[in-house]
Amino acid sequence: MLETDGPRGTLASRMAPLWPFVLAAASGILAIDAPHPRSSALRHLTKQLLQKYRKEVRPVHNWTQATTVYLDVLVYAVLDVDAQNQKLKTSVWYREVWDDEFLSWNSSMFDEINEISLPLSAIWAPDIIINEFVDIERSPDLPYVYVNSSGTIKHSKPIQVVSACNLETYAFPFDIQNCSLTFSSILHTVEDVDLAFLRSREDTTHDKKAFLNDSEWELLSVSSTYNILRSSAGDFAQIRFNVVIRRRPLVYVVSLLIPSIFLMLVDLGSFYLPPTCRARVVFKTSVLVGYTVFRVNMSDEVPRSAVSTPLIGVFFTVCMAFLVLSLSKSILLVKFLHDERCSRQEQTLLCLRGDTDAGGPRVDPRTQSAGVTEFPVWQEHQAQSETLKEVWSQLRSISSYFQTRDQADQQEAGWLALLERFDRLLFQSYLVVLGLYTVTLCSLWVSWSGL
Ligand SMILES: *[C@@H]1O[C@H](CO)[C@@H](O)[C@H](O)[C@H]1NC(C)=O
Ligand SMILES: *[C@@H]1O[C@H](CO)[C@@H](O)[C@H](O)[C@H]1NC(C)=O
Ligand SMILES: *[C@@H]1O[C@H](CO)[C@@H](O)[C@H](O)[C@H]1NC(C)=O
Ligand SMILES: *[C@@H]1O[C@H](CO)[C@@H](O)[C@H](O)[C@H]1NC(C)=O
Ligand SMILES: *[C@@H]1O[C@H](CO)[C@@H](O)[C@H](O)[C@H]1NC(C)=O
């Protein structure tokens, strides 16, 4: 007895924690058994709809009838505009609606159920893709579609589209991009699957309610066209949405254009220093270094594209070329003046040395001058004639020195005049380039804001 009683006791104690589950299971069975009209009608309807359904078959009774798919696109956000790879990444809400002739029912026979959800995997669905895809479509896996009692199926999903687009960077940062998303069936010709607009085209064009407004890009319009692509494989229906977006330029104006204009103005200011001033080289070098640092910092901001160069990049290069040109001019000037001075000093030395050579190798100028001021009484005649000769040769060398110096001065003046003219020319071209740049920017801005 003890042996049998012991195990029963332990069994009971083991079962004790499980009682709630047992009860719950029992009540669950009771609930399923209990009449639940709506749920049972739903079950009944779903079962009846899908029992004989063949999802491989296009859902029409008469095969000559095309299935019309109604499309709609809502642009939700512009995620990335990659000019280098000519790719546009957008997030769109995509809706498609079509009629399934095999999925209709009389709602009064099914407890007035007007709409039910069915698994997408269980029914026929059109194979519509975006032709411009260059990357895998990313969309959450939404398993259900809505079907109403007349057999209209509504399917909607958000998609992240990475599409190929011809991106124009010429007018950066005042650029407007026009990218198209073309929807078409990949296999079915227009005789089988036709496309149509779900909403009126005007509504689609100006619907910006869903668009995230606070990004770099502003949505201008989403115009749409329907056309039939005729090819050897058959005629395909296509619907193209042209997404037109415009960049907000303010951040680039503040971080790119204004600083570069300031640097150019500073460089322009350096023309007020006299051209012979050596500080100008230092000044221009600092401006050039500053400009280079600025460009390196900003190189990520300017879109790079192999097809077209942004105008702003051309401008930066022209500015740089001007900086380098005026810097090399200043360097040339300084080198030339330096050469001039060196050669003049050399000439002086040469003439002095030539002079001593003429006077005799053993006498140096100091003793010569001493000889001129206090000649001794003995050897008077000889000394006088020698001194006179010496004075004469001195005078000659001095005059020739002044002559060459005059020549050099004239040459220098000529060079200086030339360089000064070049300086003025450079200054004028600076002004012209800056003026052209301003005019171009203003006209770009006007055309940007006109759209
Ligand atoms: C299918 O429809 C076409 C016209 O739309 C009609 O001529 C043809 O008789 C129909 N076929 C059937 C089997 O109903
Ligand atoms: C739907 O069913 C009700 C009742 O069974 C019937 O009276 C009605 O005519 C049916 N409607 C259609 C469109 O078949
Ligand atoms: C089903 O949906 C379509 C499109 O929204 C509509 O035209 C049709 O009237 C709906 N049918 C019923 C029975 O509500
Ligand atoms: C966008 O491009 C399409 C053709 O690719 C053109 O029909 C449409 O007018 C363009 N839209 C704008 C605003 O430029
Ligand atoms: C979006 O931005 C534009 C221009 O910046 C403005 O006119 C418009 O009112 C904004 N819309 C919303 C919903 O914020």
Side-chain angles (χ1 to χ4, degrees):
M1 283 301 278
L2 269 172
E3 279 92 32
T4 51
D5 224 41
R8 208 184 292 152
T10 48
L11 186 69
S13 64
R14 275 197 201 140
M15 286 288 280
L18 294 178
W19 280 120
F21 296 102
V22 174
L23 281 176
S27 64
I29 291 159
L30 283 179
I32 286 166
D33 279 348
H36 198 299
R38 197 175 160 75
S39 164
S40 82
L42 202 53
R43 254 169 66 91
H44 187 56
L45 175 60
T46 311
K47 205 171 148 195
Q48 191 164 33
L49 284 177
L50 293 182
Q51 208 164 35
K52 289 188 188 144
Y53 190 87
R54 303 293 308 235
K55 68 173 186 171
E56 302 90 352
V57 184
R58 193 161 59 84
V60 284
H61 289 298
N62 184 343
W63 68 270
T64 56
Q65 291 279 308
T67 303
T68 304
V69 180
Y70 298 86
L71 297 184
D72 190 24
V73 159
L74 261 178
V75 180
Y76 176 62
V78 174
L79 301 176
D80 189 21
V81 177
D82 183 352
Q84 195 169 7
N85 301 314
Q86 299 277 300
K87 284 195 299 195
L88 174 77
K89 192 165 166 190
T90 40
S91 170
V92 300
W93 271 93
Y94 172 65
R95 274 201 294 164
E96 53 189 16
V97 170
W98 68 93
D99 278 327
D100 193 322
E101 292 175 9
F102 303 141
L103 290 180
S104 57
W105 67 91
N106 186 343
S107 61
S108 52
M109 285 169 70
F110 290 96
D111 205 11
E112 303 299 328
I113 296 175
N114 207 19
E115 233 173 2
I116 60 166
S117 60
L118 290 178
L120 181 61
S121 55
I123 62 169
W124 181 90
D127 54 345
I128 288 172
I129 59 148
I130 300 178
N131 289 352
E132 285 88 0
F133 264 142
V134 287
D135 206 345
I136 49 164
E137 161 189 342
R138 283 216 254 145
S139 65
D141 215 6
L142 300 178
Y144 292 107
V145 292
Y146 241 151
V147 186
N148 76 6
S149 59
S150 48
T152 304
I153 297 180
K154 291 180 198 156
H155 178 42
S156 63
K157 58 181 175 183
I159 357 176
Q160 218 179 68
V161 189
V162 181
S163 60
C165 178
N166 187 16
L167 295 168
E168 283 290 338
T169 54
Y170 179 72
F172 172 86
F174 302 103
D175 48 344
I176 292 162
Q177 308 293 354
N178 182 354
C179 293
S180 53
L181 301 174
T182 311
F183 292 83
S184 74
S185 167
I186 188 138
L187 177 74
H188 294 97
T189 55
V190 68
E191 289 92 39
D192 288 338
V193 171
D194 199 3
L195 301 179
F197 295 106
L198 188 58
R199 290 186 294 168
S200 81
R201 286 168 56 190
E202 284 71 38
D203 282 357
T204 321
T205 306
H206 300 294
D207 187 5
K208 301 170 199 166
K209 283 196 293 288
F211 191 70
L212 282 185
N213 210 11
D214 50 1
S215 76
E216 185 184 337
W217 295 89
E218 189 185 338
L219 185 70
L220 288 183
S221 66
V222 187
S223 57
S224 45
T225 50
Y226 170 86
N227 65 307
I228 288 178
L229 176 76
R230 304 196 183 278
S231 73
S232 55
D235 303 343
F236 295 89
Q238 283 189 336
I239 282 187
R240 167 173 300 156
F241 292 93
N242 279 312
V243 181
V244 182
I245 50 176
R246 158 171 99 169
R247 198 191 292 269
R248 295 212 169 94
L250 192 64
V251 59
Y252 294 100
V253 169
V254 169
S255 71
L256 277 180
L257 297 182
I258 292 181
S260 79
I261 286 178
F262 279 167
L263 274 171
M264 287 315 280
L265 284 181
V266 165
D267 194 50
L268 209 61
S270 78
F271 280 92
Y272 277 104
L273 293 175
T276 51
C277 176
R278 271 153 204 252
R280 208 162 137 170
V281 174
V282 180
F283 187 80
K284 280 192 180 289
T285 315
S286 339
V287 173
L288 188 61
V289 168
Y291 205 77
T292 312
V293 169
F294 165 73
R295 282 209 61 186
V296 168
N297 263 347
M298 289 301 154
S299 64
D300 286 347
E301 308 254 337
V302 181
R304 266 164 301 176
S305 139
V307 189
S308 64
T309 315
L311 194 65
I312 190 172
V314 175
F315 172 73
F316 284 162
T317 310
V318 167
C319 282
M320 200 110 175
F322 266 102
L323 284 176
V324 169
L325 203 65
S326 72
L327 178 62
S328 19
K329 191 221 65 191
S330 300
I331 288 174
L332 267 185
L333 190 65
V334 167
K335 179 187 167 356
F336 170 74
L337 288 180
H338 185 71
D339 273 0
E340 199 60 27
R341 242 157 247 161
C342 277
S343 66
R344 205 184 303 159
Q345 274 168 7
E346 256 168 39
Q347 267 175 5
T348 324
L349 280 177
L350 262 181
C351 80
L352 282 180
R353 219 183 301 145
D355 178 50
T356 47
D357 281 347
R362 72 223 168 270
V363 197
D364 71 299
R366 191 159 41 80
T367 49
Q368 264 177 4
S369 62
V372 170
T373 46
E374 33 165 57
F375 50 90
V377 189
W378 58 282
Q379 285 184 336
E380 193 177 330
H381 285 284
Q382 202 193 354
Q384 244 176 354
S385 69
E386 234 173 59
T387 319
L388 274 178
K389 228 194 270 173
E390 219 162 82
V391 166
W392 174 241
S393 71
Q394 279 267 26
L395 278 177
R396 238 188 19 204
S397 74
I398 285 171
S399 100
S400 79
Y401 165 66
F402 272 113
Q403 240 170 11
T404 51
R405 201 188 137 149
D406 258 8
Q407 270 172 8
D409 273 353
Q410 263 171 14
Q411 226 176 8
E412 194 184 306
W415 270 106
L416 275 183
L418 193 72
L419 281 173
E420 231 154 67
R421 219 181 301 153
F422 184 57
D423 208 53
R424 225 174 302 135
L425 193 71
L426 212 59
F427 181 71
Q428 277 158 4
S429 353
Y430 254 69
L431 285 187
V432 167
V433 164
L434 278 184
L436 269 181
Y437 179 56
T438 316
V439 167
T440 317
L441 272 188
C442 287
S443 55
L444 279 180
W445 197 325
V446 165
S447 77
W448 173 88
S449 55
L451 260 169

